[in-house]
Amino acid sequence: MSLTLAFLLAGQIATPPATPVVDPQTTADDTGREATGRTGPASSNAGGDILVTARRRAESVQRVPIAMSVIGGTALAETGTYNVNRLTQLQPSLQFYSTNPRNSAANIRGLGAPFGLTNDGIEQGVGIYVDQVYYSRIASATFDFTDTERIEVLRGPQGTLYGKNTTAGAINVTTRKPSFTPEARVELTGGNLDFFQGKASVSGPLVEDKVAIRLSTSITTRRGTIYNNRQNEWQNSQDNQSLRAQIYWKATDALDWTLYGDYNHQNPNCCVQYYARVGATQRPITRQYAALAAAQGYTVPSTNAFDRVTDVDTDLRAKQELGGLSLVGNLDLGAATLTSVSAWRFWHWDPSNDRDFIGLPITTVSANPSQQSQVSQELRIASNGTRALDYVFGAFYFYQTIDTQGLQVQGPAASAFLGAAGVDGLTSRNSIGFKNTSAALFGKLTWHPTDQLSISPGLRLNYDKKKGSYVSLVTTATGSTTLTSAQRGVLAPQSYQPDFDNWNLSGDLTVAYDVSDTVHSYATFARSYKSGGINLSGLPLDGANNPILATATVKPEKVNHFELGLKTQFADRRATVNVAAFWTEIQDYQTTVNNLQVNVLRGYLANAPKVRTRGFELDTAFRPTARLNVYGNAAFTDAKYVRFTNAPCPPELSGGTALPVVDGRIVGTPAAAGTPGNSLPYCDISGQMLPGISKWAFSYGAEYNLPVRLFGTDGQLYAGVDGSYRSKFSSNPSRSIYTDVDGYALTNFRLGYRKEGSWNVFGWLRNAFDTDYYEVLATQSGSTGLVVGQPGDPRTYGLTLSKSF
């Protein structure tokens, strides 16, 4: 079991070995165990080193300079970390938010993707890689971790090392490799809420010493945590299945190939957001939520979201299929290794949502089924670390297509609730197409002028082209395409073809100095770019309710990143303390904003002129005795808009009559916050915190074990605890008094018995104190004042049994 630690990585990114693991007990997950006794979320790498193959040779992550965390497969199992969402409880610098698989976002140090509804027309700043293959959308990475050897979380820009440019960091998932030694693994878990998870894998030779295969599968099912008393069913359930296969061919002593294939199917009854609270806006009192609901004779089942009951009246669905094929080849040239990574992947999305979030038929259909396909090719050559100058050079090509068929239907309560005559039955059918081409040349040198000093410059030349098509046909209940101004204010017909292309050159420089064998330091400067994009969710409207075509594209983000790091080990390497401090400035930050129309249902992308995030990270691990392991990680992240003067206003300053703008100046006086009257057309939110980012975040834990003899075999009885804390964060692009998510702490316990390399059985208790917390809050469209939420999981408990053969 390897542990969440912040490490420093220089040169090339950590990649799987060029040859498969011959002995299943010497994987990277277990290498740390052999060196240290135990490593993991409740332990330290004290007394030994966790190894990575960053430069095609095994080397300690403590000696290489990028902030990096590593979690092994056993640690993932024992902490219940079986997807990216749960990874955040072990990684203070990682944020993950999701209202459904498509509308998911992963951020590192507060950067990566805009907070809010996903827009396909832009890149993600956090790269997701599985066995060296780039996953172009975080939605396609919402699978369960299956047969995972380790997960590496790299913090900060990685564009000179990875195929795809990543300005915020990367999550690198490495699965277990085929083995020439026959082996099998089985893991079964059962728990409350009808939770069941089964994982199995088998590996062995097909042709002795030449061809090996690994097959693995997983199933996860769980009853929902939210009860819908209108539809008489549990919602926000889990229903995931996956299959994965690998075939390794050792063609010659110098050449090997690995063919990967995977298929994942998910069909949960998911995902519902519902009543959390109500806040006053600047709409007339009769047009705010309380009066609108009363006029319809409607009351929600409960005004306490943690009663976990709703009455949304639209069926929910979050069905997705994803998978693909990839071929990775390694040719050992002696002084260097040539690597080829070829891949094709697909993602099919079939949703159903209730976008009014309550039991009234306001918006009866809101869905954007989507089909995505991508191909990529990476060719990389890296030195084998045999001389004073190490290097990695690569070329990367990526092509992606997305086809989306949007449908939105306004129900029989729409006119009364939205205050717009004639919108009952109003229907929008959207045809959305997207083509994305990216190509790059990248490279990094590492020069060692002395045994203690290394200097590592890197460069990346990148080209991006995005081309889209958005056509929205809007019809009335009678099928007419002739619309009134009120109808166009709710659903506006649009047709536009955005186009963006851009070249950019980015680079970085890292200087690392080994003070001693156990004290290492580094300094990094990076200038990177996140590609510009196009709006594919509809454009804002002008005063005549026509789309503003100038907003069809968004500019690239320009990132200046500074980082200092120090990592140390002492007490005979039984203690590890790593510190990183960073300062990142972003010009033309890509963010989600709202239309000024009262009844708009979706936002669009725009650029905030300047954003800054800064902070520090502390990662510690201690092994005071052979039986006790303790760890503690902390992240302080101060992220804010430095300059954003024309941002959307928060709910309490929205909904009234918009004041006019004359010669660039707002004319008139707005009403007080939450008071009906005039509203500002836009707000200056310079200095406010960025959404989705806690200023303070911690993870911590301990594990204690005792040797025991049970049923005639020697093993370990162990008890562990893992905890996490996140302070308050904003859940709205413009901070609102209604959408701050209060800080919360989660605590997990486990108690079990294991025999190394054989079997493990343990009971677990997660969210042990049944803490009530929101994963995300959002507002209902129309400035009604309704705030909806998505509560986190309640207390869960169960038993896990795993066996290796």
Side-chain angles (χ1 to χ4, degrees), residues 49 116 391 462 549 579 591 656 677 693 789:
D49 293 320
Y391 59 86
N462 208 86
L549 297 179
V579 181
T591 184
I693 306 163

Side-chain angles (χ1 to χ4, degrees), residues 278 283-298 360 416-417 784-785:
V278 173
R283 290 192 80 176
I285 292 294
T286 57
R287 304 307 308 158
Q288 297 194 39
Y289 174 78
L292 292 169
Q296 300 281 321
Y298 173 75
L360 289 176
F417 202 87
T784 68

Side-chain angles (χ1 to χ4, degrees), residues 189-196 221-223 225 764-766 794-799:
T189 299
N192 66 324
L193 304 178
D194 300 328
F195 179 75
F196 172 77
T221 61
R222 193 186 74 177
R223 193 204 74 189
T225 56
W764 47 266
L765 180 64
R766 295 173 188 140
R795 178 193 295 121
T796 58
Y797 52 86
L799 183 72

Side-chain angles (χ1 to χ4, degrees), residues 6-52:
F7 295 122
L8 306 176
L9 176 67
Q12 171 181 190
I13 61 167
T15 55
T19 59
V21 177
V22 176
D23 184 341
Q25 300 307 314
T26 59
T27 65
D29 180 27
D30 293 315
T31 300
R33 179 183 305 164
E34 292 173 351
T36 69
R38 295 290 299 179
T39 59
S43 59
S44 162
N45 71 336
D49 293 320
I50 293 177
L51 304 179
V52 294

Side-chain angles (χ1 to χ4, degrees), residues 81-102:
T81 306
Y82 58 85
N83 56 33
V84 174
N85 186 22
R86 290 176 176 248
L87 193 61
T88 61
Q89 294 186 31
L90 301 179
Q91 295 292 292
S93 295
L94 175 66
Q95 302 93 30
F96 180 83
Y97 303 102
S98 177
T99 55
N100 61 42
R102 181 180 186 273

Side-chain angles (χ1 to χ4, degrees), residues 63-372:
R63 289 184 173 273
V64 287
I66 292 175
M68 178 183 176
S69 301
V70 182
I71 307 104
T74 307
L76 296 172
E78 292 188 353
T79 59
T81 306
Y82 58 85
N83 56 33
V84 174
N85 186 22
R86 290 176 176 248
L87 193 61
T88 61
Q89 294 186 31
L90 301 179
Q91 295 292 292
S93 295
L94 175 66
Q95 302 93 30
F96 180 83
Y97 303 102
S98 177
T99 55
N100 61 42
R102 181 180 186 273
N103 289 307
S104 300
N107 287 345
I108 292 177
R109 295 172 171 173
L111 303 177
F115 190 87
L117 293 177
T118 295
N119 192 307
D120 289 328
I122 63 166
E123 307 285 344
Q124 56 194 33
V126 175
I128 309 292
Y129 296 84
V130 180
D131 292 324
Q132 304 190 64
V133 175
Y134 174 70
Y135 284 38
S136 60
R137 285 291 177 268
I138 186 64
S140 65
T142 54
F143 53 83
D144 290 349
F145 300 143
T146 302
D147 214 10
T148 300
E149 178 184 298
R150 68 182 184 273
I151 296 177
E152 302 161 355
V153 180
L154 284 76
R155 307 193 287 268
Q158 305 297 326
T160 62
L161 294 170
Y162 275 84
K164 195 74 176 72
N165 196 19
T166 52
T167 56
I171 300 172
N172 190 26
V173 180
T174 300
T175 62
R176 293 187 177 98
K177 299 298 172 281
S179 170
F180 287 116
T181 301
E183 59 109 344
R185 300 169 186 252
V186 176
E187 179 185 298
L188 300 175
T189 299
N192 66 324
L193 304 178
D194 300 328
F195 179 75
F196 172 77
Q197 186 172 76
K199 297 183 178 182
S201 68
V202 61
S203 185
L206 292 179
V207 178
E208 185 177 1
D209 296 331
K210 283 294 183 181
V211 181
I213 189 171
R214 176 175 288 274
L215 302 174
S216 54
T217 185
S218 74
I219 298 173
T220 302
T221 61
R222 193 186 74 177
R223 193 204 74 189
T225 56
I226 312 299
Y227 187 72
N228 189 316
N229 63 12
R230 179 184 296 268
Q231 301 184 24
N232 296 318
E233 64 182 15
W234 290 96
Q235 297 180 331
N236 287 12
S237 64
Q238 297 180 20
D239 183 11
N240 307 336
Q241 302 88 40
S242 69
L243 296 170
R244 181 178 294 274
Q246 300 179 43
I247 298 176
Y248 171 82
W249 175 34
K250 185 175 177 61
T252 69
D253 289 341
L255 175 64
D256 64 78
W257 296 93
T258 305
L259 177 65
Y260 300 83
D262 69 284
Y263 174 79
N264 302 266
H265 178 273
Q266 301 180 13
N267 192 21
N269 188 0
C270 186
C271 302
V272 62
Q273 296 173 273
Y274 57 97
Y275 184 106
R277 62 179 69 117
V278 173
T281 71
Q282 293 180 324
R283 290 192 80 176
I285 292 294
T286 57
R287 304 307 308 158
Q288 297 194 39
Y289 174 78
L292 292 169
Q296 300 281 321
Y298 173 75
T299 57
V300 294
S302 174
T303 56
N304 180 1
F306 298 103
D307 288 340
R308 301 182 187 274
V309 59
T310 185
D311 65 343
V312 297
D313 56 334
T314 297
D315 289 336
L316 301 180
R317 186 173 61 255
K319 182 179 179 181
Q320 58 176 344
E321 293 180 290
L322 53 142
L325 296 170
S326 61
L327 180 64
V328 178
N330 296 286
L331 177 61
D332 188 346
L333 302 174
T337 297
L338 182 66
T339 299
S340 171
V341 183
S342 308
W344 163 77
R345 297 204 59 79
F346 71 91
W347 175 64
H348 296 164
W349 170 240
D350 182 13
S352 178
N353 309 292
D354 192 317
R355 279 298 172 195
D356 55 59
F357 309 112
I358 57 177
L360 289 176
I362 303 168
T363 303
T364 56
V365 178
S366 178
N368 285 275
S370 186
Q371 301 82 45
Q372 172 185 300

Side-chain angles (χ1 to χ4, degrees), residues 489-792:
V490 174
L491 293 175
Q494 300 188 25
S495 178
Y496 61 98
Q497 291 76 43
D499 195 344
F500 171 90
D501 66 276
N502 176 253
W503 286 90
N504 61 69
L505 181 68
S506 58
D508 55 44
L509 176 65
T510 297
V511 178
Y513 185 77
D514 296 336
V515 179
S516 68
D517 286 343
T518 58
V519 179
H520 314 279
S521 63
Y522 72 94
T524 294
F525 168 73
R527 170 73 167 179
S528 61
Y529 291 83
K530 179 181 170 184
S531 171
I534 58 180
N535 269 301
L536 287 177
S537 295
L539 301 181
L541 308 180
D542 60 19
N545 285 327
N546 293 313
I548 303 173
L549 297 179
T551 61
T553 61
V554 290
K555 301 175 184 177
E557 290 183 358
K558 295 175 281 293
V559 181
N560 287 320
H561 172 78
F562 305 86
E563 184 164 340
L564 296 174
L566 179 68
K567 56 179 183 148
T568 65
Q569 291 181 310
F570 52 92
D572 194 25
R573 298 195 178 188
R574 304 182 74 83
T576 298
V577 177
N578 295 339
V579 181
F582 62 91
W583 185 299
T584 307
E585 295 181 345
I586 307 97
Q587 294 181 347
D588 294 323
Y589 174 77
Q590 296 167 359
T591 184
T592 301
V593 301
N594 300 321
N595 297 9
L596 299 179
Q597 283 68 30
V598 169
N599 294 319
V600 68
L601 291 177
R602 291 184 177 271
Y604 69 101
L605 292 169
N607 294 106
K610 189 173 183 180
V611 159
R612 185 264 295 142
T613 180
R614 63 185 178 186
F616 67 84
E617 296 156 341
L618 173 67
D619 297 83
T620 67
F622 306 95
R623 193 179 180 199
T625 74
R627 303 294 170 219
L628 177 63
N629 298 297
V630 180
Y631 76 94
N633 304 322
F636 170 77
T637 308
D638 178 22
K640 71 176 185 179
Y641 298 103
V642 175
R643 187 171 66 257
F644 197 6
T645 58
N646 60 338
C649 293
E652 58 269 29
L653 294 175
S654 301
T657 301
L659 293 170
V661 178
V662 178
D663 295 329
R665 300 181 62 184
I666 300 172
V667 178
T669 302
T675 302
N678 294 326
S679 292
L680 294 169
Y682 48 81
C683 287
D684 183 354
I685 62 172
S686 303
Q688 286 190 12
M689 67 168 63
L690 291 180
I693 306 163
S694 296
K695 184 162 286 189
W696 289 99
F698 304 95
S699 65
Y700 41 87
E703 183 179 290
Y704 187 78
N705 67 75
L706 285 173
V708 296
R709 187 171 180 83
L710 188 65
F711 304 123
T713 62
D714 294 326
Q716 287 182 344
L717 181 69
Y718 65 94
V721 58
D722 296 288
S724 63
Y725 169 78
R726 292 186 182 273
S727 63
K728 178 185 293 186
F729 65 88
S730 169
S731 190
N732 196 64
S734 297
R735 190 178 183 186
S736 168
I737 58 176
Y738 307 136
T739 55
D740 274 357
V741 174
D742 291 335
Y744 59 88
L746 302 176
T747 305
N748 309 318
F749 297 101
R750 63 184 178 276
L751 177 66
Y753 177 82
R754 61 184 165 227
K755 178 176 173 56
E756 293 290 348
S758 179
W759 56 278
N760 187 4
V761 58
F762 61 95
W764 47 266
L765 180 64
R766 295 173 188 140
N767 189 4
F769 302 112
D770 205 18
T771 300
D772 290 336
Y773 67 101
Y774 290 107
E775 292 185 345
V776 68
L777 293 172
T779 57
Q780 187 186 48
S781 63
S783 297
T784 68
L786 176 62
V787 178
V788 298
Q790 185 164 297

